[in-house]
Amino acid sequence: MSDQIMATGSTLGTGKVAVSNGFLWRRRLKDRIARVILFSAAGVSVFITAAIVYILVSESLTFFGVVSIVDFLTDTEWTPLFTKARYGVLPLLTATLVVSGIALLVAVPAGTVLAVYLSEYAPPKLRESIKPVLELLGGVPTVVYGYFALLFVTPLLQTFMPGLSGFNMLAPGLVMGIMILPYVVSVSEDAMRAVPDSLREGAYALGFSRFHTGLRVIIPGALSGITAAYILGMSRAVGETMVVAIAAGQNPNLTLNPTEGAATMTAYIVQVSLGDLPHGSIGYQTIFAVGLTLFVITLLFNIAGFWLRRRFREEY
């Protein structure tokens, strides 16, 4: 009888070990599958980025084999499709920075104030109602923003500025500021909400009002995230295509006056891409040189944002 009991216990123990081993094997298999899927996703993103860089650099090298890079960066005229071609990218670069600067002048103060309100003042129900509305702005097609700038904002500005051109950099800059506002507000508000409540309670204990708490405690504590929001908005504004292509004009014009029309880098790329220039020609390869310039500018903004985030994290 005792032998039968021992045999039964041994069988049950062996069964439990087998079930446990099977469970561990399935869990390890799932972990490996998840690791492979995640690694593949990361690898695809890296591969796509490397392919984009390779195409831009290889085509741009062909272009710079014919056109001097010094002339490209310093010449003040951009007429690559004319008989007497000039390849100075400064007019396109200036227009891009002017429009993006106007957009930031709208989005940065408005986005920061709205983020502080949502983080420190707004009741939870109101906050949950406002944030989806802001995120809807990010889902509006940029073509709609472009025609809104051309057909509504520009005539509205002309009532106050009679000499304003039909194609100008001011209207698309203002509209782009509204367009990137959700990015600035969302990222900034998330960064402010991540500030520990103990800092708020300490500020209130010292007699700070909500305004002074937000200004002197919350914003410095979330400055790395707020800076990331600004850099994200700037990168989004620099790379915007349809708004400036529709409302800013397509005439390369070296000017800092926002009331005049000018072609940005993205607008020029659209203009040439829709044309009939043969592939491999110098005129067609200009879009890759301009695209590489735009890529480098965006990269510099991201590097600056990373540096600022790391610096402010060390300070605060």
Side-chain angles (χ1 to χ4, degrees):
M1 186 68 180
S2 61
D3 293 340
Q4 292 179 352
I5 294 174
M6 292 177 64
T8 302
S10 177
T11 302
L12 292 175
T14 304
K16 290 181 179 179
V17 171
V19 171
S20 177
N21 290 336
F23 174 76
L24 290 175
W25 182 83
R26 287 193 299 271
R27 188 172 67 178
R28 290 173 181 173
L29 179 62
K30 292 179 181 178
D31 289 341
R32 290 178 181 177
I33 293 174
R35 189 179 297 111
V36 169
I37 292 175
L38 295 175
F39 179 80
S40 300
V44 168
S45 63
V46 173
F47 172 77
I48 292 174
T49 303
I52 292 173
V53 173
Y54 171 76
I55 292 174
L56 289 176
V57 172
S58 60
E59 294 290 340
S60 298
L61 288 177
T62 304
F63 170 79
F64 289 122
V66 179
V67 178
S68 171
I69 190 172
V70 176
D71 294 338
F72 179 77
L73 296 175
T74 59
D75 198 348
T76 58
E77 292 187 20
W78 179 261
T79 56
L81 308 181
F82 289 12
T83 303
K84 187 178 179 180
R86 300 281 295 273
Y87 299 97
V89 77
L90 281 180
L92 303 180
L93 178 61
T94 302
T96 301
L97 295 179
V98 168
V99 175
S100 301
I102 295 173
L104 284 182
L105 289 177
V106 174
V108 167
T112 304
V113 170
L114 189 54
V116 172
Y117 173 76
L118 292 177
S119 174
E120 304 302 317
Y121 289 89
K125 291 184 178 180
L126 181 61
R127 183 189 307 117
E128 297 303 323
S129 300
I130 293 178
K131 290 193 69 175
V133 174
L134 288 173
E135 293 173 359
L136 284 177
L137 292 176
V140 177
T142 56
V143 176
V144 176
Y145 281 113
Y147 282 107
F148 176 72
L150 179 64
L151 302 178
F152 180 81
V153 178
T154 297
L156 180 64
L157 292 175
Q158 287 175 336
T159 59
F160 302 98
M161 306 169 64
L164 184 66
S165 173
F167 293 101
N168 58 84
M169 294 182 286
L170 181 58
L174 296 175
V175 172
M176 283 172 56
I178 299 174
M179 186 182 67
I180 67 176
L181 186 62
Y183 300 94
V184 177
V185 174
S186 179
V187 178
S188 299
E189 194 266 342
D190 290 339
M192 293 177 186
R193 296 287 297 174
V195 174
D197 288 337
S198 58
L199 295 180
R200 294 180 174 85
E201 294 170 357
Y204 294 149
L206 292 174
F208 281 27
S209 64
R210 281 189 176 184
F211 175 77
H212 287 92
T213 300
L215 184 64
R216 298 183 180 181
V217 177
I218 303 303
I219 291 180
L223 199 55
S224 61
I226 296 174
T227 303
Y230 296 163
I231 298 297
L232 177 63
M234 184 64 181
S235 300
R236 182 69 178 84
V238 169
E240 174 53 36
T241 302
M242 294 310 300
V243 175
V244 291
I246 293 173
Q250 298 183 354
N251 180 31
N253 183 19
L254 182 60
T255 179
L256 296 175
N257 186 359
T259 62
E260 298 181 9
T264 63
M265 290 187 286
T266 53
Y268 173 76
I269 293 174
V270 171
Q271 178 186 3
V272 174
S273 299
L274 298 178
D276 298 326
L277 289 176
H279 286 243
S281 63
I282 296 299
Y284 183 79
Q285 287 174 338
T286 56
I287 64 174
F288 296 100
V290 174
L292 180 61
T293 305
L294 186 63
F295 179 85
V296 171
I297 292 173
T298 306
L299 179 63
L300 292 176
F301 281 132
N302 291 331
I303 293 175
F306 175 79
W307 178 79
L308 289 172
R309 289 196 301 270
R310 185 175 64 177
R311 178 181 177 183
F312 289 128
R313 281 176 182 173
E314 292 175 354
E315 291 182 357
Y316 295 101

